[in-house]
Amino acid sequence: MCPMDPDRKAELFAAALPIFNRFGYRKTTIEEICREAGLSKRTFYEEFDDKKDFFGRLVLHMATAFTLEWQEAVRDETSAAVQIERYIDQYITSCQATPIFAVIFENDESMQAVDEAFNDDSCKPMFAALGAAIAMGSASGEFRPVHAVKLTLIIGMMMDSLFCILPQLFKNSRIDADEAFVRELKAFVINGLLARPSEG
């Protein structure tokens, strides 16, 4: 059994996105996904175990694409603080443009799907990218000495909590559209990282 061509897989993910966004995890069916993508169910099952496996890998695909877009946008940026600010902006823009991230928290199965897809190996490139920006800031003296890996986890969990989980708990919460909130969030993160002149 041959793995699915990466371009074909990307097309399948693109076809599935609006279906999950419209119907949510529970009501979306493999039949609808295959019909929209012009793919047979047999071909689908040659690549994916079931809807849960597909959904987890779809979310991982989107998160990886977000990371690559951010890396490309900051490739020539020498300020670690600006890179982190742009990471926050890119994260928020991705959440706004791709409501699939909110679907993650629809039920236990959708959360488990993402938990299984986001294992140590699959997350390494994403964590490494943000960690590299933090480590660069520490090495240059722009940031205080920090544990880049732990800080990467803290920033990632904070962003997930604020822009994915919180909107599910408070349906009318649109903090992603609140410019003052986003500005203060970025200042909070960056000021926590910046090196301070030594006292004395």
Side-chain angles (χ1 to χ4, degrees):
M1 182 164 48
C2 268
M4 188 179 287
D5 176 82
D7 290 338
R8 186 66 181 112
K9 195 185 295 185
E11 289 172 10
L12 178 60
F13 287 149
L17 270 176
I19 300 170
F20 279 113
N21 290 340
R22 182 173 179 193
F23 298 111
Y25 178 83
R26 192 173 52 81
K27 293 182 182 176
T28 295
T29 66
I30 291 168
E31 289 80 8
E32 288 171 295
I33 293 168
C34 291
R35 186 172 41 253
E36 185 64 28
L39 187 77
S40 72
K41 285 175 68 175
R42 180 180 175 196
T43 303
F44 179 94
Y45 283 113
E46 286 176 355
E47 181 69 26
F48 305 98
D49 296 337
D50 51 24
K51 181 173 76 171
K52 188 171 99 169
D53 177 44
F54 176 79
F55 182 75
R57 289 164 63 184
L58 165 63
V59 174
L60 178 62
H61 171 79
M62 298 305 298
T64 302
F66 145 73
T67 303
L68 292 173
E69 287 173 26
W70 167 71
Q71 284 182 296
E72 182 60 29
V74 299
R75 186 168 33 115
D76 299 324
E77 180 55 61
T78 57
S79 167
V82 171
Q83 287 190 21
I84 303 301
E85 287 180 0
R86 289 191 183 161
Y87 177 87
I88 294 170
D89 288 336
Q90 181 76 32
Y91 186 103
I92 294 168
T93 299
S94 294
C95 286
Q96 290 170 332
T98 313
I100 193 75
F101 295 116
V103 175
I104 295 168
F105 303 97
E106 184 179 306
N107 63 30
D108 289 343
E109 186 174 303
S110 55
M111 287 189 286
Q112 185 180 22
V114 174
D115 186 49
E116 289 172 7
F118 281 68
N119 57 49
D120 287 342
D121 288 335
S122 66
C123 288
K124 275 181 186 171
M126 291 180 278
F127 286 135
L130 182 56
I134 294 168
M136 179 186 84
S138 287
S140 70
E142 183 180 7
F143 292 164
R144 63 185 172 80
V146 296
H147 192 293
V149 173
K150 298 295 184 193
L151 213 59
T152 299
L153 288 171
I154 290 167
I155 291 172
M157 288 189 294
M158 181 175 65
M159 299 299 289
D160 289 346
S161 298
L162 287 172
F163 299 106
C164 292
I165 298 171
L166 193 65
Q168 291 301 302
L169 297 175
F170 304 99
K171 296 293 185 188
N172 295 324
S173 173
R174 286 301 315 266
I175 57 174
D176 60 326
D178 185 335
E179 291 180 20
F181 181 91
V182 172
R183 186 173 55 250
E184 292 300 331
L185 170 65
K186 289 193 283 189
F188 176 80
V189 172
I190 299 303
N191 285 328
L193 288 167
L194 290 175
R196 302 282 185 258
S198 56
E199 295 179 5

